[in-house]
Amino acid sequence: MAADSAAGRLSRERIDHRFKALPPDAEGLTVGELAAERRNLFTGGFTTPVLALSAEAVEHNLALMERYAATHGLAFAPHGKTSMSPQLFERQLARGAWGITAAVPHQVRVYRAFGIQRIFLANELVDAAALHWLTAQLEADPEFHFICYVDSVRGVALMDEALRGRGGRRPVDVVVELGAGAGARTGARTEADCTAVADAVAGARTLRLVGVAGYEGEVPQADGERVRAWLRRLVALAADFDKAGRFGADVGEIVLSAGGSAWFDAVADVFAEVPELSRPVLKLLRSGAYVSHDDGHYRHLTPFNRVPEEGALQPAFRLWAQVVSRPEPGQAFLNAGKRDAAYDLDLPEPQLVRSARDGAIRPATGITVSALSDQHTWLKVADDADLEVGDWVGLGLSHPCTSFDKWQLIPLTTTEATVTDFIRTFF
């Protein structure tokens, strides 16, 4: 990344007590100075636990999704909530991303602080203070492109009320969210409900309807058939709105957006069937977890399991913790816990052990995680497993969204455990 970019300037931040696991003797250095030393993760003074992100896996994943989106004619706005890392956003944009997706106003503010020019907010925005701030952003920067969901007539009324009288010359672009079904998350439940929301938008001069969107990951009892059926409803809704003239003459392209990290193959299939509309269609995919992938939830769910000929994502996270107690046979404790490791979907997975005696690395055979406390990992250790106090254990993690958010500064490491950079997060 360019040193003078907003993300590049993060390298000037000073190392201090805010950033866990960093070498105590690095205090006072800038992040860039510490990265330039290219220290070894194990012998360079890092304290445990320490979360590392594989430089090679991240680069592989960025390239793979860039290629996938291009192959299938999709624009790409990866969900930034996964990492909340401007450095990774910058790399995603350099790899062809149209923009970055957000979930809440705070995330939009972070994106704007780091110069993100295209933001898709996958939620209805009814916070008056946030809407006032957004109006100022749109007025100050003619190149800033913002889109958000609307899914209710009441929400449209609240948005219009907050925006009226703010002096904004540009309307806020919105897409009607089609819900994934009864009992699912957000979104207008029926096509009739969507039409009512679109009618409300037409009556609000502060808003402009530019498309339709939704999240197929919430389809009840999701399988390939049900997900594709819902996606075809989404496409049909866009076509019906277009036929009815619901998109104004000043709308240059119709936005059609879906796509989490579990069903983007179905999105690619169905979006390839979009009929010719009155103007070009921006087919916007929003998958976010791909950048780091994982060793649990998304390893099982990734669409690349169904289309292996298109490639495979690589898990990029490994949490290294140290054995601090072996109080009885069959039991050991690491000095990492819920404050350090994702645990909401799956427990961490022991993968490697690094000997405290000679630094040799071996598979974590016969070692499993049974529970997490706030600051401890409970290990079950087989009788024939080789594990002693002082050894480092490398853990694979599940669910990247709740891995990134526990660390403000994450070492980016090579396969040789050389730290080449640090990834800053803003949660």
Side-chain angles (χ1 to χ4, degrees):
M1 71 191 64
D4 60 348
S5 70
R9 289 194 290 274
L10 289 171
S11 65
R12 303 174 195 168
E13 193 165 13
R14 294 284 172 184
I15 300 295
D16 60 23
H17 61 276
R18 291 171 296 161
F19 306 118
K20 59 186 181 181
L22 298 193
D25 66 353
E27 182 145 351
L29 296 178
T30 67
V31 172
E33 288 168 343
L34 180 56
E37 292 184 358
R38 298 181 70 83
R39 297 195 188 191
N40 184 278
L41 186 71
F42 304 117
T43 62
F46 292 86
T47 63
T48 55
V50 56
L51 182 66
L53 194 62
S54 164
E56 292 90 351
V58 168
E59 179 59 27
H60 169 86
N61 295 342
L62 289 168
L64 177 59
M65 285 304 290
E66 177 187 28
R67 184 168 65 249
Y68 185 88
T71 298
H72 292 279
L74 300 171
F76 193 27
H79 212 316
K81 71 175 176 63
T82 298
S83 72
M84 286 305 294
S85 170
Q87 294 151 288
L88 293 178
F89 299 163
E90 196 167 274
R91 293 179 64 178
Q92 288 169 315
L93 292 167
R95 284 289 190 173
W98 172 91
I100 305 293
T101 295
V104 293
H106 160 70
Q107 293 168 0
V108 179
R109 290 188 64 199
V110 172
Y111 298 3
R112 289 299 291 160
F114 288 90
I116 304 300
Q117 289 292 83
R118 290 174 174 167
I119 299 174
F120 186 101
L121 180 64
N123 249 331
E124 188 166 67
L125 180 58
V126 294
D127 182 323
L131 286 162
H132 297 166
W133 172 85
L134 176 64
T135 297
Q137 290 287 304
L138 290 168
E139 289 302 301
D141 185 356
E143 301 303 313
F144 175 35
H145 188 179
F146 176 86
I147 302 171
C148 73
Y149 282 176
V150 286
D151 82 344
S152 64
V153 172
R154 170 65 174 162
V156 169
L158 287 171
M159 292 182 72
D160 187 46
E161 180 182 348
L163 292 167
R164 272 186 282 114
R166 302 303 298 185
R169 291 165 293 179
R170 296 171 60 190
V172 173
D173 286 347
V174 297
V175 290
V176 173
E177 183 192 6
L178 174 66
R185 207 161 62 187
T186 56
R189 292 311 198 226
T190 68
E191 283 75 0
D193 292 336
C194 289
T195 298
V197 175
D199 286 343
V201 171
R205 65 174 181 81
T206 61
L207 304 177
R208 182 176 73 156
L209 183 66
V210 298
V212 299
Y215 176 48
E216 75 292 337
E218 283 287 311
V219 169
Q221 299 176 309
D223 59 22
E225 182 178 348
R226 290 186 178 93
V227 167
R228 284 173 173 80
W230 178 84
L231 287 164
R232 291 189 177 100
R233 285 180 59 200
L234 187 68
V235 170
L237 183 65
D240 289 347
F241 278 10
D242 184 45
K243 185 177 180 180
R246 296 189 178 278
F247 305 120
D250 60 340
V251 174
E253 59 185 1
I254 296 168
V255 178
L256 178 65
S257 181
S261 295
W263 292 103
F264 55 73
D265 58 331
V267 174
D269 290 347
V270 175
F271 280 13
E273 304 169 357
V274 174
E276 185 174 349
L277 302 183
S278 65
R279 65 209 79 184
V281 178
L282 180 71
K283 304 173 184 178
L284 197 60
L285 184 69
R286 304 192 308 272
S287 312
Y290 80 98
V291 68
S292 66
H293 197 45
D294 74 3
D295 278 301
H297 184 69
Y298 287 105
R299 177 177 63 193
H300 300 305
L301 289 183
T302 176
F304 287 116
N305 292 338
R306 296 185 290 270
V307 287
E309 68 278 5
E310 298 213 47
L313 294 168
Q314 296 176 2
F317 273 130
R318 183 163 286 143
L319 177 65
W320 287 96
Q322 202 163 18
V323 180
V324 293
S325 180
R326 285 226 55 185
E328 58 187 75
Q331 189 175 59
F333 290 89
L334 304 177
N335 63 345
K338 294 178 180 178
R339 304 295 174 88
D340 313 296
Y343 61 92
D344 56 319
L345 295 178
D346 301 286
L347 290 174
E349 174 186 273
Q351 296 177 331
L352 298 172
V353 175
R354 184 179 187 275
S355 170
R357 296 181 182 272
D358 60 11
I361 294 179
R362 60 185 183 273
T365 305
I367 303 169
T368 57
V369 173
S370 59
L372 290 182
S373 300
D374 283 352
Q375 304 288 184
H376 291 92
T377 299
W378 297 57
L379 296 181
K380 289 183 178 179
V381 184
D383 291 343
D384 58 350
D386 182 11
L387 190 69
E388 63 179 343
V389 170
D391 288 347
W392 290 39
V393 177
L395 302 166
L397 302 177
S398 179
H399 198 189
C401 299
T402 51
S403 297
F404 276 106
D405 69 358
K406 294 172 175 59
W407 296 81
Q408 289 183 286
L409 205 57
I410 305 170
L412 191 68
T413 63
T414 68
T415 52
E416 292 80 25
T418 300
V419 177
T420 60
D421 203 352
F422 295 86
I423 299 300
R424 185 72 157 91
T425 66
F426 292 85
F427 285 93

